[in-house]
Amino acid sequence: GDHPSLATAFEAAGHQRIESTLLDHTWQIRHQHFWRQTQAFPEPFLSGACLLLDLDWFEKTGEPVFDERFFLYYEDTDLCLRLLQRGIFPRVAPAAEAIHYFDQSPDPSTGKAELLARARRQYYRKHFRDLPPPLPLDSDPSPAPPDLGERSDPPVFAVAASDSPVYLELALNPWFVPFIQTQVTGTEYLLPAPVWRRLAPGRYFARTRDPAGEVSGRWSWAKVQNKSPSPMV
């Protein structure tokens, strides 16, 4: 989903250390709440990658399912926001399962990033008129995690010994909104080859932490294409 308060939080996290800390903490709480549910529960925004709709309701109310002005991206966000404006919360069914591989479709001729930015601007013009104004820079920005440089092979992460479960989390931004997570054991962890292959080239962030939110390690790296890729296993 996307809305002005979230956009403001992202903007603030990029400029103010305390805002980065608070956004990170809030998202950890949200993550734990989300994955502990066993019964259907309300969630403001759902992904169109796996979405079940009651078409009879749309036909009776005359509400369009999708706004056809959104060629690609934000059509599901726009749909969920229109439902929220009608007082209807979409719901998540925890028992349902689906696998959606991130960023696996071929790039369109205009480029995914450009289409995403275009759809976001259209979404904000439609519902909120404009994006929030930028915030002032902080004199004490958040420290950057250790940079592992450019890599064409997966990095090995050192895992501190702990009596509590240790989670390794990966994200596309330093405040980890959102992130993917796995529980790790031992003193080292290597990303499985199938996971590494699914990561598109770009900047990534990783950390290890315990269930209480205490972070024991942080890293960042830039994935680059392997010049001589190994055969698929």
Side-chain angles (χ1 to χ4, degrees), residues 168-187:
L168 177 78
E169 298 169 342
L170 268 65
L172 298 174
N173 54 64
W175 40 90
F176 289 79
V177 182
F179 58 80
I180 59 173
Q181 179 194 82
T182 187
Q183 187 171 334
V184 299
T185 58
T187 58

Side-chain angles (χ1 to χ4, degrees), residues 13-14 20 24 142-145 171-177 203 205 207 218:
S20 175
D24 187 348
S142 300
L172 298 174
N173 54 64
W175 40 90
F176 289 79
V177 182
R203 173 64 59 176
F205 298 85
R207 69 182 177 193
R218 292 181 183 270

Side-chain angles (χ1 to χ4, degrees):
D2 198 347
H3 46 89
S5 58
L6 181 63
T8 300
F10 269 86
E11 179 73 23
H15 294 85
Q16 306 275 346
R17 177 184 291 194
I18 186 60
E19 293 295 338
S20 175
T21 300
L22 293 174
L23 179 61
D24 187 348
H25 178 69
T26 301
W27 197 264
Q28 287 184 36
I29 295 173
R30 182 186 184 281
H31 171 88
Q32 292 167 2
H33 167 79
F34 188 97
W35 289 103
R36 287 174 179 170
Q37 303 307 307
T38 58
Q39 302 295 324
F41 63 96
E43 179 70 11
F45 295 97
L46 303 182
S47 170
C50 183
L51 194 63
L52 183 65
L53 302 173
D54 181 359
L55 292 182
D56 288 340
W57 181 87
F58 287 91
E59 291 177 356
K60 292 176 181 177
T61 61
E63 181 75 26
V65 178
F66 292 116
D67 185 336
E68 295 185 359
R69 292 174 294 178
F70 292 93
F71 167 68
L72 184 64
Y73 301 123
Y74 275 84
E75 70 281 356
D76 47 3
T77 308
D78 172 74
L79 168 62
C80 290
L81 187 65
R82 286 187 281 118
L83 293 177
L84 291 174
Q85 291 170 336
R86 282 178 167 261
I88 300 173
F89 256 81
R91 299 180 72 83
V92 174
E97 296 184 3
I99 296 176
H100 178 251
Y101 291 120
F102 169 73
D103 199 26
Q104 295 303 298
S105 58
D107 282 329
S109 58
T110 53
K112 291 182 180 179
E114 181 180 342
L115 288 173
L116 180 62
R118 184 186 304 171
R120 186 170 190 258
R121 289 193 299 269
Q122 180 176 336
Y123 169 79
Y124 268 86
R125 284 196 301 268
K126 176 180 177 179
H127 294 289
F128 308 111
R129 292 179 177 259
D130 206 349
L131 291 172
L135 297 178
L137 289 172
D138 193 348
S139 58
D140 184 24
S142 300
D147 191 346
L148 303 179
E150 294 186 348
R151 302 193 62 91
S152 58
D153 57 331
V156 177
F157 302 105
V159 180
S162 174
D163 296 331
S164 302
V166 177
Y167 302 122
L168 177 78
E169 298 169 342
L170 268 65
L172 298 174
N173 54 64
W175 40 90
F176 289 79
V177 182
F179 58 80
I180 59 173
Q181 179 194 82
T182 187
Q183 187 171 334
V184 299
T185 58
T187 58
E188 290 184 340
Y189 183 79
L190 177 68
L191 284 179
V195 175
W196 177 257
R197 287 196 295 267
R198 299 246 177 229
L199 299 181
R203 173 64 59 176
Y204 291 90
F205 298 85
R207 69 182 177 193
T208 50
R209 70 174 180 91
D210 64 19
E214 187 71 27
V215 175
S216 54
R218 292 181 183 270
W219 303 270
S220 175
W221 73 91
K223 182 184 179 183
V224 296
Q225 291 284 11
N226 194 331
K227 295 181 180 178
S228 54
S230 57
M232 300 288 283
V233 177

